[in-house]
């Protein structure tokens, strides 16, 4: 390194030492945007409004979106780029059997809204028919397991990941599940906002049933049945705060043991239907599965079938005809609106 360069570097370091706050000030000016701060609000009174108030009062949710925020600002342009690529592939004559041909045709079928709208809920009729054929708890569990293989989880939350006590191995985990609202507290709060969310959710379930041809009265009763089952399951759920305790949410136990204490779930048969071979699992929230074991017998099979149909409709609504999609978007927008108002008012 030549002497001139060494001298220049020495001067730079000397200046930095003589002006320790210079870099900090420049950094703040370059990387911290304070234009959105609402200085009319004291941060100690309402920090959300202090930081986000100006943005919150002016942000608009696009008609084809369920929310708005920094993630969407970043994500939507990427989706547009991907759409342009897929559009070009689907409109090109590709070699039969090639990856391009398969991807292009698959994308084109998903964009064929005319055919999708004509089919209504026809694509999931076979699943609903399988639910109708359920006759007892064992056949219910078998249906649940078969749907889990397609990624549709209902009363059993199942995954395979690292053992929390031994990161060097993967094990089976089961966790609380079974509810449609974001967490247990939504079912038990009695403030006006929470009650309105509960009613909106039940209305949504009723709408989905009506879109399959069920009359409004019967659809409303179905929604009450589904919500009632979910509320019973939610009562056994841990709160979001309780879920933060890693040790309290780790219960590695032998399959043979829970097979005896929770016989109605038929753990060994369930795992066999999942093609999962293991002698132990981490049951993160045992209270939920104790409750589920009881509910499987105390709730009638017909009500369970109604519950499973609702879950199926909710899972696939976004992929069906426009009325199903519109109902889902409407509910999600309502959720976002209520949650934001609650947050802004704190």
């Amino acid at each position: 390194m030549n002497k001139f360069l060494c001298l220049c570097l020495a001067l730079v370091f000397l200046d930095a030492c003589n002006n320790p706050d210079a870099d900090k000030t420049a950094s703040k000016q370059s990387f911290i945007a304070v234009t959105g701060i609402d200085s009319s609000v004291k941060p100690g009174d309402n920090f959300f409004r202090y930081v986000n108030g100006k943005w919150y009062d002016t942000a608009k949710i696009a008609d084809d979106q369920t929310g708005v925020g920094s993630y969407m600002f970043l994500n939507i342009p990427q989706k547009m780029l991907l759409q342009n690529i897929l559009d070009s592939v689907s409109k090109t004559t590709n070699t039969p059997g090639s990856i391009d041909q398969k991807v292009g045709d698959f994308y084109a079928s998903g964009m064929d809204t005319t055919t999708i709208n004509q089919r209504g809920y026809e694509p999931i009729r076979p699943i609903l028919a399988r639910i109708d054929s359920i006759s007892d708890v064992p056949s219910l569990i078998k249906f649940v397991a078969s749907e889990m293989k397609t990624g549709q989880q209902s009363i059993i939350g199942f995954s395979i990941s690292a053992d929390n006590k031994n990161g060097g191995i993967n094990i089976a985990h089961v966790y609380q599940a079974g509810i449609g609202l974001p967490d247990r507290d939504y079912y038990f709060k009695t403030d006006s906002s929470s009650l309105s969310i509960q009613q909106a959710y039940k209305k949504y379930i009723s709408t989905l049933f009506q879109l399959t041809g069920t009359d409004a009265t019967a659809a409303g009763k179905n929604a009450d049945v589904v919500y009632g089952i979910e509320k019973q399951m939610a009562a056994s759920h841990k709160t979001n705060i309780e879920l933060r305790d890693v040790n309290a949410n780790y219960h590695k136990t032998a399959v043979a043991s829970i097979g005896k204490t929770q016989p109605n779930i038929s753990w060994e048969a369930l795992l066999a239907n999942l093609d999962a071979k293991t002698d132990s699992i981490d049951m993160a929230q045992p209270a939920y599965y104790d409750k589920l074991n009881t509910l499987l017998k105390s709730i009638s099979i017909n009500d369970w079938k109604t519950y499973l149909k609702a879950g199926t409709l909710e899972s696939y609504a976004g992929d069906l005809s426009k009325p199903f999609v519109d109902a889902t978007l409407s509910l999600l927008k309502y959720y976002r609106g209520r949650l934001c108002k609650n947050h802004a008012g704190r």
Side-chain angles (χ1 to χ4, degrees), residues 326-340:
D326 288 345
T328 301
L329 286 174
S330 177
L331 179 69
L332 291 174
K333 285 186 176 182
Y334 181 81
Y335 280 174
R336 292 287 178 88
R338 298 303 303 182
L339 293 176
C340 285

Side-chain angles (χ1 to χ4, degrees), residues 129-137 139-140 143 301 305 308:
R130 285 170 48 219
I131 294 175
D132 281 329
S133 69
I134 293 174
S135 58
D136 51 24
V137 173
S139 59
L140 183 155
F143 170 82
I301 284 297
K305 288 158 76 168
L308 291 173

Side-chain angles (χ1 to χ4, degrees), residues 15-28:
D15 181 66
C17 292
N18 291 333
N19 299 279
D21 296 326
D23 287 344
K24 294 180 181 179
T25 301
S27 177
K28 289 180 180 179

Side-chain angles (χ1 to χ4, degrees), residues 6 64 70 144 164 204 303:
C6 289
D64 62 344
S70 58
V144 168
N164 293 340
Y204 171 63
D303 283 355

Side-chain angles (χ1 to χ4, degrees), residues 69-105:
S70 58
Y71 175 77
M72 291 188 174
F73 292 141
L74 295 171
N75 195 32
I76 291 176
Q78 302 308 313
K79 285 186 175 181
M80 294 302 297
L81 290 172
L82 181 59
Q83 181 178 339
N84 290 336
I85 294 172
L86 293 171
D87 279 335
S88 64
V89 173
S90 65
K91 294 175 182 179
T92 302
T93 301
N94 299 299
T95 304
S98 66
I99 295 297
D100 287 353
Q101 177 261 313
K102 293 177 181 178
V103 171
D105 289 357

Side-chain angles (χ1 to χ4, degrees), residues 8 18 22 59 78-79 96 101 137 140 175 195-196 213 233 243 257 261 267 275 296 309 315 329 341 345:
C8 289
N18 291 333
Q78 302 308 313
K79 285 186 175 181
Q101 177 261 313
V137 173
L140 183 155
Y175 43 87
L195 292 175
S196 68
M233 290 192 282
L243 292 174
S257 175
T261 58
W267 283 106
D275 298 321
L296 285 170
K309 285 182 178 179
S315 294
L329 286 174
K341 287 180 180 178

Side-chain angles (χ1 to χ4, degrees), residues 48 77 101 105 137 153 156 159 177 206 239 243 245 248 273 338:
F48 179 88
Q101 177 261 313
D105 289 357
V137 173
Q153 303 205 36
I156 306 289
S159 69
S206 175
T239 65
L243 292 174
D245 188 335
N273 285 324
R338 298 303 303 182

